[in-house]
Amino acid sequence: MGWWQVNADTLAGSRFLLSPLAETFASLKLLHAGTGGHPGEQAWLRAHLPAYRRLLADDPVTALLVRAGLGRDWIADFLTPTPRDEETFEEGVERVRATDPADARAHLRTSLAGPLPAALERDDLPERAARLLEYVWADAVRPYWARRRRVLEADVAARTARVSRGGWAAVLDTLRPGTRWLGESRFQVNLHEYPPREISGAQLVFVPVTPQAGWVSWDETQRRYAVVYPCAGALADTDARRSAVPAGLGALLGRTRAQVLILLDSPLSTTQLTAVTGQKLGSVGRHLRVLLDAGLVERRRVGRSVLYSRTGPGQVLIEAAASRTGTGTGAGTGARTGPGTGAGKGAGARTAARTVAETDAGTSASTSAETGAGSSPG
């Protein structure tokens, strides 16, 4: 197994951040796979996969670039710069575009674990990659970004609450398959036998994405390490679950109140419910009060948060309504895949990056590439 040595100060200073570029790259990977892990992803693919495939059919060089860059076991480093604080999509994609063409070709050879096809022996690969990411952002991510951002913020709120309940070990154990707190300041980041890395004193950030993808990365020049992980399935698939409110339950409780009850199959705070429903805080609070008075939900305080969850009667009510209509109301699945990538090159400095990929079966592979300075996702 691969693990990082993390001292108490590094872990105490670690934080969550959101990255539009990471969300876009995870979405590109989902488009490339062509299959979704839950109904929300499947609906998104039906809407956007045909146009994406037409785009690549009309541009065979970029299509080959995507296949080579995603590789079988790892991703070309320059495609996924390490997320930075408060970085816009436009700022992030410019780091892809600024990659030295020779480095881009070297990263592709690594992702292919072999020679580069003749069609990719060219200098415009960073520009092509940046244009493709811009297309995915504009066509398939930005129209949903406001809702996705709320979902990601809700995931961060849930994991922050978990820190208060069980400490960082409880969070690291559940980020994605293969992550686990081993004790003695060791954080397992994958299931393979890689040399341990000492990251004490470095910056450590955790970056959620809504597609079922994840990777780890680092930039040794900046001493910055990142874990990109898929947000909880219970939050990622909220669109499908909102549309799955049984008619009878909606008529009995009101559709929005029924949605709140369905979402509470796992404990959530009012802040999280506000994020995933798009309702105002006062509206969510009123719905919760009615559900509490009816005995359908309960609440408990955890640290500074108050978490709400369904009671037994609430669960019975949902199951009865679902059985009459044949409508499923459970959480989205949590199946996850995790590719990883290494660093892109900037002027003057050096960085080492390891690319890591994982699949639902728990398999992964990695490679190390010494490249110029910049960012290092993985």
Side-chain angles (χ1 to χ4, degrees), residues 89-110:
F89 170 80
E90 290 75 15
E91 291 167 340
V93 79
E94 283 307 311
R95 292 198 281 145
V96 176
R97 182 174 275 114
T99 304
D100 185 285
D103 290 324
R105 292 192 294 270
H107 298 166
L108 289 168
R109 292 187 190 98
T110 300

Side-chain angles (χ1 to χ4, degrees), residues 81-147:
T82 304
R84 293 179 178 176
D85 299 271
E86 303 300 324
E87 184 176 59
T88 65
F89 170 80
E90 290 75 15
E91 291 167 340
V93 79
E94 283 307 311
R95 292 198 281 145
V96 176
R97 182 174 275 114
T99 304
D100 185 285
D103 290 324
R105 292 192 294 270
H107 298 166
L108 289 168
R109 292 187 190 98
T110 300
S111 66
L112 289 169
L116 199 64
L120 295 182
E121 291 287 359
R122 51 197 302 150
D123 288 342
D124 64 348
L125 300 180
E127 175 63 31
R128 286 176 175 274
R131 288 204 306 262
L132 181 62
L133 288 167
E134 287 170 339
Y135 165 80
V136 175
W137 165 254
D139 184 73
V141 177
R142 187 169 58 189
Y144 311 97
W145 178 242
R147 189 198 70 82

Side-chain angles (χ1 to χ4, degrees), residues 205-223:
V205 296
F206 302 98
V207 185
V209 292
T210 60
Q212 296 173 19
W215 56 90
V216 297
S217 67
W218 58 83
D219 178 347
E220 291 187 333
T221 301
Q222 300 296 322
R223 292 287 290 158

Side-chain angles (χ1 to χ4, degrees), residues 171-181 187-191 216 227 358:
V171 173
L172 300 180
D173 285 351
T174 58
L175 281 178
R176 61 190 182 95
T179 64
R180 187 162 61 100
W181 183 249
F187 172 32
Q188 177 180 310
V189 296
N190 56 53
L191 298 173
V216 297
V227 178
E358 298 182 0

